[in-house]
Amino acid sequence: MDIVELMEWLIQQGCWAVFKADGERTPGTRWMVMVSGGALGRDSFFRSDRASPDACLQDLLDHLETAGLSPFA
């Protein structure tokens, strides 16, 4: 699954999502993903700052699994 497919699934779940690349940040934290709301719950918030888009994607998938959600179901 790529990040665009995952973001599409997240909005179908009523979540908001941001995936960002920032060349002004220090190496190791130039990629960021944030997700909140919808199926995750009103007061939920997830953020991961990592060195690669794949690492952010994996962190998000792990978080969703912990929350009992899966885009693969």
Side-chain angles (χ1 to χ4, degrees):
M1 169 169 278
D2 68 28
I3 192 65
V4 175
E5 290 174 314
L6 181 56
M7 290 181 78
E8 180 68 31
W9 181 83
L10 287 166
I11 62 170
Q12 290 171 1
Q13 306 309 306
C15 300
W16 65 260
V18 174
F19 194 75
K20 177 182 173 185
D22 188 342
E24 292 184 0
R25 295 179 75 187
T26 60
T29 63
R30 290 188 172 166
W31 291 90
M32 179 186 67
V33 63
M34 293 188 305
V35 178
S36 188
L40 289 172
R42 185 174 182 196
D43 296 324
S44 67
F45 181 79
F46 173 78
R47 177 178 172 163
S48 177
D49 299 275
R50 300 295 297 258
S52 73
D54 289 336
C56 284
L57 178 60
Q58 188 59 56
D59 283 354
L60 179 53
L61 289 172
D62 293 345
H63 177 74
L64 292 171
E65 183 178 327
T66 300
L69 299 170
S70 174
F72 304 112

